[in-house]
C-alpha cells in the first residue's frame, strides 16, 4: 500500500512541476524490493514523455501537420488545374481554392474517395451567387458542387478584383515556383495592404509559407504578416 502511494506522489510531482522524476525502488509491506515498470516525465513543450523510449507523444498539431504535408505531396492536380476544372463545371470567377483534407463528399453528392481530401474551389458566378466545387486531387474529376448561400461578401470581392488582371489560377502558377501550392485566397480586407491574392505553399521539411501575389502585376512577395517569419521578400514573379 505504501509503495503505491510513493509512486503516485512521484508521478504527480512530475506532471505538476514540469520536470523529470524517477521512481526509485521501494520496499513493500512484505519486505520485498519492488521497482516501477517505467519512468514518467514532462517535456519542456508540455508533451508527456515515456522514458522507456525517450520520445514525446505526438501532439494533435504535429499529426495534422504531417497529414497536410502528405496530402500536398500526393496531390497530382495542381491548384491552377483544380481551378480550371471547377470553372469548366461552374462558370464564373474563382475567388479561392484550398486543398482540404476533410472528406465530406456526402454534403455535395460526391463519391467516397477513402479520405484523400479534395480541392475546394469557391466560384462567384455572374448573377452574384457563390458555389463551392470539390475537385479530386488525384484525377481532377469534379466530385460535387453546391450553392453557398452563406457568403455575403460579393460586393467586396468584386471591388477587389476590379481593375486586376491576375486570376486565382495565374496567382497559383506564379507562386508554384516557390513550392507546392496548397491554397489561394483573395485578401480584400486591406489589413495587409492593397488587395492581393494570398497563396500558401508547403515544402517538404520546411513547413508552410505564405505569399502575396499582386492582382495587377503578378509579383510574388513573402507575406510579412506570416507568423513564423520564415520567409523573406522575393521580387521574382511568373506572369502567366
Amino acid at each position: 500500500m505504501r509503495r503505491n502511494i510513493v509512486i503516485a506522489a512521484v508521478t504527480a510531482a512530475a506532471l505538476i512541476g514540469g520536470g523529470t522524476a524517477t521512481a526509485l525502488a521501494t520496499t513493500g509491506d512484505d519486505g520485498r524490493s519492488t521497482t516501477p515498470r517505467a519512468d514518467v516525465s514532462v517535456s519542456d513543450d508540455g508533451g508527456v514523455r515515456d522514458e522507456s523510449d525517450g520520445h514525446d507523444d505526438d501532439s494533435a498539431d504535429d499529426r495534422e501537420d504531417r497529414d497536410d504535408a502528405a496530402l500536398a505531396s500526393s496531390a497530382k492536380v495542381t491548384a491552377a488545374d483544380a481551378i480550371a476544372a471547377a470553372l469548366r463545371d461552374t462558370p464564373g470567377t474563382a475567388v479561392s481554392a484550398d486543398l482540404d483534407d476533410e472528406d465530406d463528399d456526402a454534403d455535395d453528392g460526391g463519391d467516397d474517395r477513402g479520405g484523400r481530401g479534395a480541392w475546394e474551389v469557391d466560384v462567384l458566378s455572374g448573377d452574384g451567387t457563390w458555389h463551392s466545387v470539390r475537385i479530386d486531387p488525384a484525377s481532377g474529376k469534379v466530385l460535387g458542387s453546391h450553392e453557398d448561400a452563406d457568403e455575403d461578401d460579393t460586393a467586396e470581392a468584386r471591388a477587389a478584383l476590379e481593375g486586376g488582371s491576375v486570376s486565382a489560377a495565374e496567382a497559383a502558377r506564379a507562386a508554384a515556383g516557390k513550392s507546392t501550392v496548397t491554397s489561394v485566397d483573395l485578401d480584400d480586407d486591406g489589413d495587409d495592404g492593397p488587395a492581393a491574392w494570398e497563396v500558401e505553399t508547403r515544402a517538404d521539411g520546411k513547413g508552410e509559407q505564405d505569399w502575396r501575389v499582386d492582382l495587377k502585376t503578378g509579383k510574388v512577395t513573402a507575406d510579412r504578416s506570416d507568423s513564423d517569419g520564415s520567409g523573406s521578400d522575393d521580387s521574382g514573379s511568373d506572369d502567366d
Side-chain angles (χ1 to χ4, degrees):
M1 183 65 176
R2 289 196 300 274
R3 174 174 60 84
N4 293 336
I5 294 173
V6 170
I7 295 174
V10 171
T11 302
L15 295 176
I16 295 173
T20 300
T22 302
L24 301 176
T26 60
T27 301
D29 295 336
D30 57 2
R32 288 179 297 177
S33 177
T34 58
T35 304
R37 295 179 59 185
D39 297 335
V40 176
S41 67
V42 179
S43 63
D44 293 339
D45 60 3
V48 177
R49 177 182 292 117
D50 181 352
E51 293 293 349
S52 62
D53 61 13
H55 296 292
D56 289 354
D57 291 345
D58 287 342
S59 69
D61 288 342
D62 289 338
R63 290 193 297 271
E64 182 179 357
D65 191 62
R66 284 199 302 272
D67 290 343
D68 290 345
L71 179 59
S73 63
S74 65
K76 298 179 180 178
V77 177
T78 66
D81 290 340
I83 291 170
L87 292 178
R88 286 194 295 270
D89 177 80
T90 307
T93 302
V95 179
S96 71
D98 182 63
L99 188 55
D100 184 10
D101 62 359
E102 297 293 332
D103 193 1
D104 56 357
D105 301 292
D107 295 339
D108 52 28
D111 57 4
D112 181 6
R113 293 166 281 97
R116 286 205 310 269
W119 283 105
E120 184 167 338
V121 183
D122 290 334
V123 177
L124 175 59
S125 65
D127 63 3
T129 58
W130 290 82
H131 301 266
S132 180
V133 186
R134 291 179 68 81
I135 306 295
D136 191 313
S139 67
K141 173 185 175 182
V142 176
L143 299 168
S145 64
H146 65 271
E147 183 176 330
D148 191 349
D150 293 333
E151 288 282 2
D152 58 1
D153 55 354
T154 302
E156 291 86 348
R158 285 182 169 170
L161 292 169
E162 185 176 359
S165 58
V166 178
S167 67
E170 290 169 333
R173 283 194 291 269
K178 309 300 181 184
S179 189
T180 302
V181 174
T182 54
S183 73
V184 182
D185 190 32
L186 180 63
D187 177 18
D188 57 6
D189 60 16
D191 289 346
D192 297 321
W197 293 108
E198 281 191 344
V199 183
E200 180 182 274
T201 62
R202 176 180 288 277
D204 290 342
K206 296 183 179 179
E208 298 176 358
Q209 173 64 50
D210 294 329
W211 308 89
R212 292 180 67 80
V213 181
D214 192 282
L215 281 164
K216 296 181 179 180
T217 67
K219 179 181 178 182
V220 181
T221 56
D223 188 352
R224 290 183 177 277
S225 66
D226 187 13
S227 59
D228 64 9
S230 62
S232 59
D233 285 349
D234 192 321
S235 58
S237 65
D238 296 322
D239 297 329
D240 291 342

